[in-house]
Amino acid sequence: QVQLVESGGGLVQAGASLRLSCAASGRTFITYSIGWFRQAPGKEREFVAGIRWSGGITYYAYYADSVKGRFTISRDNAKDTAYLQMNSLKPEDTAVYSCAGGGFPAGRTYYYRPDEYDVWGQGTQVTVSS
C-alpha cells in the first residue's frame, strides 16, 4: 500500500522561499508520477506542478501558469522523495499543499486533474503573509 507524507510547510513573508517534501513508501518510486496540488479556503483544489515518469529514468516536469518560473518540482529516487521548491512566494499562494501519486504508464501525457491520481498525502499548510 502506497503512502505519501508531506512536510516543509510553514508561515513565511511574501518573497520568501519554502521547500516541500513528499516522501513515498510502499511501491517502486522510480516509475511513480507525482503531482502537487493546493487548496485555499473556499476554493477548489488546483493543480500546481507535476513530475511524470515517461519511461526509463526520464521524467517531465510541468506547471500551472500561476507558479511557472517561481516553483520547481524535482525528485530524488534514491530517497523516494519528491520536492516542490517555492520561491518568490505571494499571499495568494497560501493554501494547504498536498502531493498525490499516480502509476501512469510511460509517456508524455500530463495529468492535471485530482481524480487522475490515486494516492494522496495528508497535506501541509503554507501561509504567506504580506
Side-chain angles (χ1 to χ4, degrees):
Q1 185 174 352
V2 182
Q3 288 189 323
L4 300 176
V5 179
E6 302 98 333
S7 60
L11 170 62
V12 297
Q13 290 189 329
S17 298
L18 277 176
R19 189 178 77 159
L20 305 183
S21 299
C22 174
S25 61
R27 69 153 282 161
T28 302
F29 188 68
I30 195 169
T31 60
Y32 207 44
S33 298
I34 296 292
W36 282 98
F37 292 78
R38 66 187 182 187
Q39 188 167 21
K43 295 188 176 181
E44 290 188 354
R45 181 175 283 172
E46 65 172 354
F47 171 82
V48 176
I51 185 162
R52 68 99 71 245
W53 177 62
S54 64
I57 53 171
T58 303
Y59 302 89
Y60 290 106
Y62 52 109
Y63 302 90
D65 288 343
S66 59
V67 306
K68 206 171 289 184
R70 298 189 298 124
F71 291 11
T72 302
I73 190 171
S74 63
R75 61 192 294 151
D76 184 340
N77 290 335
K79 297 181 178 179
D80 291 348
T81 301
Y83 303 97
L84 185 67
Q85 177 67 43
M86 305 184 296
N87 298 331
S88 302
L89 281 162
K90 305 175 181 180
E92 51 264 45
D93 294 318
T94 294
V96 174
Y97 284 71
S98 300
C99 65
F104 308 130
R108 292 199 64 171
T109 301
Y110 295 155
Y111 298 90
Y112 297 95
R113 299 199 322 264
D115 62 2
E116 294 176 311
Y117 293 78
D118 50 18
V119 178
W120 289 80
Q122 81 287 356
T124 185
Q125 177 69 45
V126 172
T127 303
V128 185
S129 62
S130 57

